[in-house]
Amino acid sequence: MGKNAATPRSGVTLTLVWQCVVVVVGSCLYGVGLTVFLQPSGVPMGGVPGVSLVLDHLFGAPIGVVNFLLNVPLFVIGYRILGREFFFKTLLSLVASSLFIDLCGPLLPAYTGDTLLAALFGGVIMGVGFGMVFRVGGTTGGTDVLSKYFYLKRSVPLGTTSIVVNVIVIAGSAIVYHSLESAMYGIIVTYVSGAVIDQVVYGGDKQKNAFIITNHPQEVSEGIMKALHHGVTAMQAKGMYTGAEKTVLVCAVRRNEVVRVKSIVAEADPNAFMMLYDVSEVLGEGFKTSGKE
């Protein structure tokens, strides 16, 4: 009995250790993208790392040290409102990336070729690193902590704070670098890294959700369940224009199953009203079986 009781604790410990490994590896990848591609090519980026790049350009200040020091006040905020586990993973990410940038960064080969390629490859590598950290529940500090703080305290959308800070930092970088093009490259880095982050965090699992209003719910749902082996949920609704009672069917489907769903619905109820929209991730039988990493 004692042995069985200890098993869940061991599982939690192994999961935490694995998550810490992912955070460290992701933070180092972020450091690779910054030191190998962005810094040598003079490509700016947003957030606290962007400020660190500017200070390095102006005064030769160590990027990792500056990045760490600028995050200290944000960590005080983060610890108070964001929880112990979030704080620990974010601190681990910051320490790992800062040490890697200052200690290992100078030893890596610097890319000084085409600036556009530097922005693209730097954005991809950093996006993979960021995504790995985000996927296990951490952040790289800086704007992420600030965004969560304003969201919890002032109900400011997470994206709004991030966009405002990034625009200010990238615009300031363009002034320091005396180049409008550098700001354009910074925007490319931000966009590319954001797109890659989404792919890493959601695993490319963007699917469709079918929202079907029909007078023949039994036929439609049976057709979907038989052909696609997906569950269907039924809800009762009332059409406010006609006053008629309707049944609303909700079903998650894979992107390559959309055509078959349309065909099934059209055959079972030609007058059905159907909406299809994207969902970022689907968890459950027939899709991902667990949200745990």
Side-chain angles (χ1 to χ4, degrees), residues 212-221 246-247 249 261-274:
I212 308 163
I213 302 174
T214 176
N215 290 320
H216 302 282
Q218 194 66 34
E219 293 85 346
V220 173
S221 58
K246 298 282 186 177
T247 299
L249 302 178
V261 170
K262 291 180 179 179
S263 176
I264 292 169
V265 174
E267 182 177 349
D269 183 4
N271 297 316
F273 183 83
M274 181 168 60

